[in-house]
Amino acid sequence: MDVLYFAWVRERIGRPKDRIETQAATVRDLVEELRAREERYAAAFEDLSALRVAVDQELSDFDASLAGVREVAFFPPMTGG
Amino acid sequence: MDVLYFAWVRERIGRPKDRIETQAATVRDLVEELRAREERYAAAFEDLSALRVAVDQELSDFDASLAGVREVAFFPPMTGG
Amino acid sequence: MDIRVQEAAFDLGDEARAFAERQRGMGAVVTFTGIVRDLDGGDLDVMEIEHYPGMTEAAIEKIGQEALSRWNLGDILVIHRYGRLRPDDLIMMVATSARHRVDAFQGAEFLMDFLKSRAPFWKKEVTGQDAAWVAARDEDEDALSRW
Amino acid sequence: MDIRVQEAAFDLGDEARAFAERQRGMGAVVTFTGIVRDLDGGDLDVMEIEHYPGMTEAAIEKIGQEALSRWNLGDILVIHRYGRLRPDDLIMMVATSARHRVDAFQGAEFLMDFLKSRAPFWKKEVTGQDAAWVAARDEDEDALSRW
C-alpha cells in the first residue's frame, strides 16, 4: 500500500511517501503502526484532529476500512482557492 | 419645470419631454394636470402603480413636494443590469 | 470607483485584466457580465437600451458608495451600455475587489441587484416587426429586501 | 466543464473573454479570481502551493458536478495553479455561466467554498528566512454548511 504525506505532515516525516505492507484493518490501525515506527512519525500523527485522510484519493475518515485499498494519504486541512 | 418621459411612457405620450408652468404642490397634483391635457397623457398615467417617478433625478414617490423642483421624470420600473 | 455609462462596446477580457492588475493588497476579484440573450427562444434582432442621462451616473454612484460602506471592498468598476445591442453583445459588467472572497462576492451581488431595479435603464426587445419593453420581474424587486 | 490544474501562469483577461464568448444562450457570466497577497503586511516573498496530483482533478470534477446538479448553469471553468508563486500572481479562477444571474453567482460561490476546503491544495508562505503553512480558517469550514 502506498502511504502519502502532504504539506507539514510530509515535512515532519521527512519524505513524501512510504510503501508499506500492513495488516491494518482501518486507517486508525495504520496510524498506530506508523506512530510506532519512529519519533518523527509519532510527532506527525500526534494530534489526529489536525489531520485529514484520503483513501484511494477520496476524502475519508480514520475509521475507514483498508480492505482492498491501494493508497492512503495524510495531510492537514486543505487551503485551496 | 422640465417633465421627462422614458420607455413606454415616452412612447405613449409621443415625446420625451415637456416644459411646464405649474402650481402643482405634489407629483400627484402634477399627474392630475397632465392627465387632463390630452387622451395620450391620460393613457400614459392610467395606472400609477405601473409607474415610477424621479424628482430632480432622485427616485421619489407620488406624494413628493414639487417646491423648488426643476425636473420630474416618469417611467416604468427599471430593467438595468 | 470607476463608473462608465456608454454606448460603445467594451471588452470583458481587457477590463477584467486591467481591474485586477490595478488592485493592491486585494486577494479576491469578482466580475459579473450581462450578455444579450434570446432567452425566450424567439428571434431577437436587437435589444434597445434607453437610460436617463445624468440620473444614471448619479444613481450608480450612490449604489456604489452604499456597497463600499457595507463591505470591505478595495474598488468597484461598473460599465453599462445603452443604445442598440445585438445578441451576444455584452450589456454591462461589474467588478469588485476585496481582501477576502465573501466581501467581493457580496459586493458584486449587491451592485447587480440594485443596478437591476434602481438604475434608470429600460430594455426593449425587437424581434422582426415586434418590439416589447422588458417587464421588471417581481423576483428582482424582491431581491433588494435581502440587503 | 473545463478544469485545469497547472503550474503555468494564466491570463485572467484571455480566460474570461474566451469563456464568455463560448457560452450560448447564457445571459450571465461570473468570475472569481484569487491573487497572491501579503495580507499580514509582512514581506511575503513566495507562496508555495502543494497539491495531490490525481486526487486534485477528481476532487474538483466532483465539486463541479455537484454545482451543475444544484443550479441551472451553462458551463464551469476552474483553473488552479500550484508551485512557487509571487505576490500579485494569480492563484486560481473560476467562471460560471447561467441564464440568470442568481445561478451564476451561487454556482461560483459554491465552487469557491468547496475549493477552499475540499480540494487538496496546501499553501505555504515564505517570508525572508521564515516559512509557514497557511492554516485553514474556521470560517472557511463553516461556509460549507450553508449549502
Side-chain angles (χ1 to χ4, degrees), chain C residues 60-110:
Chain C
I60 298 175
E61 170 86 22
K62 196 173 158 188
I63 293 167
Q65 290 296 350
E66 181 70 21
L68 289 172
S69 77
R70 287 189 185 213
W71 290 280
N72 193 356
L73 298 174
D75 197 9
I76 286 173
L77 166 70
V78 178
I79 303 174
H80 204 304
R81 296 181 64 193
Y82 58 87
R84 289 170 67 84
L85 279 66
R86 299 272 177 186
D88 297 336
D89 283 354
L90 306 190
I91 303 170
M92 54 82 64
M93 74 175 286
V94 304
T96 55
S97 67
R99 288 164 61 93
H100 299 295
R101 73 186 187 286
V102 174
D103 293 286
F105 270 122
Q106 295 261 298
E109 288 190 63
F110 176 90

Side-chain angles (χ1 to χ4, degrees), chain A residues 25-77:
Chain A
T26 67
V27 173
R28 203 177 296 278
D29 295 339
L30 175 63
V31 167
E32 287 312 316
E33 279 187 23
L34 290 167
R35 273 178 175 153
R37 283 192 149 198
E38 288 180 48
E39 175 52 32
R40 56 205 170 102
Y41 285 89
F45 290 102
E46 190 180 2
D47 176 11
L48 288 195
S49 75
L51 292 182
R52 302 290 179 269
V53 60
V55 172
D56 281 341
Q57 304 195 352
E58 284 259 8
L59 211 55
S60 187
D61 59 68
F62 290 91
D63 295 321
S65 163
L66 293 183
V69 164
R70 288 166 296 113
E71 183 172 304
V72 176
F74 296 101
F75 42 78

